[in-house]
Amino acid sequence: MSKKLNIIKTDKPFWFFTDQADEDYISARLLSCCGNTLWHVAAYHSHQAVEKYIKSYLVQEKKEYPDTHNLKAIGKLAEELNAIFKEEKTKQQLELFDQFEQVSRYGGFAKYDPSSVRTQNYTIVGGFAWTDSNIRQLDELVFNIRGLLDFSSKPTLDNLKSVLNEDSKIGFVSDWKLPTLSIKQVLTQDNQYFKR
């Protein structure tokens, strides 16, 4: 029997989630460029970004969101609102990023570790492979979910659009400190969905 989700009602606008999701998405893209020692952190931020973007969509449409980190469960609620969440590819992507929720956060202490291997002589826990394919799937998923959000109602600028336009009116652009890599490069490098 599946556990009933606690649904939280809110009068806050969807971009309360989206602004944080944008931070997680940019962080995931940046960290995925840093090599395998930081991949677990890229995976963690990927999961967080997807979770918050879907919750943004639920808040926009229903003024509510579930009190869970499980992407499959959150996606199931969103299926009622948009067919993209019913697509097999989307479900597979949510399942992919769901596997990182525990392992990327807790490593060997994760409660859920789909990649663990146990034999008579050894146990491998807290390990997973992060590949370029993961970041490409994240780009597609973020692009598709973000495309469902109506930023015309947001009184401040759309963060990712502002990054693409190099608009220094937002902190993402004006506060960026890496001299050899711009935030626009972080967002657009090898990204067929967000580019300019």
Side-chain angles (χ1 to χ4, degrees), residues 25 28 46 49-50 97 134-143:
Y25 178 51
S46 295
V50 172
F97 291 107
N134 296 120
I135 203 67
R136 285 192 297 273
Q137 290 186 67
L138 177 64
D139 292 337
E140 180 179 15
L141 199 52
V142 167
F143 182 81

Side-chain angles (χ1 to χ4, degrees), residues 21-154:
D22 291 341
E23 292 174 11
D24 283 312
Y25 178 51
I26 293 288
S27 297
R29 291 201 103 258
L30 176 63
L31 292 165
S32 71
C33 297
C34 293
N36 63 4
T37 56
L38 295 177
W39 285 349
H40 70 286
V41 187
Y44 169 76
H45 284 289
S46 295
H47 177 276
Q48 290 291 296
V50 172
E51 176 185 338
K52 291 168 189 168
Y53 283 128
I54 301 173
K55 286 181 177 180
S56 293
Y57 179 61
L58 291 170
V59 168
Q60 174 184 270
E61 298 300 314
K62 297 178 75 174
K63 291 295 196 185
E64 63 185 34
Y65 62 94
D67 185 17
T68 183
H69 300 295
N70 184 291
L71 298 180
K72 187 176 177 181
I74 300 167
K76 189 78 175 153
L77 292 174
E79 279 183 19
E80 302 168 10
L81 303 170
N82 195 288
I84 194 169
F85 295 100
K86 293 179 184 178
E87 293 175 9
E88 194 55 38
K89 186 174 188 178
T90 302
K91 289 180 180 186
Q92 289 172 352
Q93 289 170 328
L94 294 179
E95 189 174 318
L96 168 70
F97 291 107
D98 244 347
Q99 73 179 319
F100 301 138
E101 190 269 323
Q102 282 283 312
V103 179
S104 65
R105 188 183 302 215
Y106 301 114
F109 292 97
K111 293 178 191 170
Y112 171 70
D113 184 354
S115 302
S116 66
V117 176
R118 290 172 174 72
T119 69
Q120 249 181 321
N121 299 323
Y122 66 90
T123 300
I124 298 173
V125 296
F128 61 88
W130 179 262
T131 66
D132 290 341
S133 146
N134 296 120
I135 203 67
R136 285 192 297 273
Q137 290 186 67
L138 177 64
D139 292 337
E140 180 179 15
L141 199 52
V142 167
F143 182 81
N144 288 337
I145 297 168
R146 245 180 149 271
L148 302 173
L149 299 171
D150 179 12
F151 286 96
S152 69
S153 65
K154 189 174 190 247

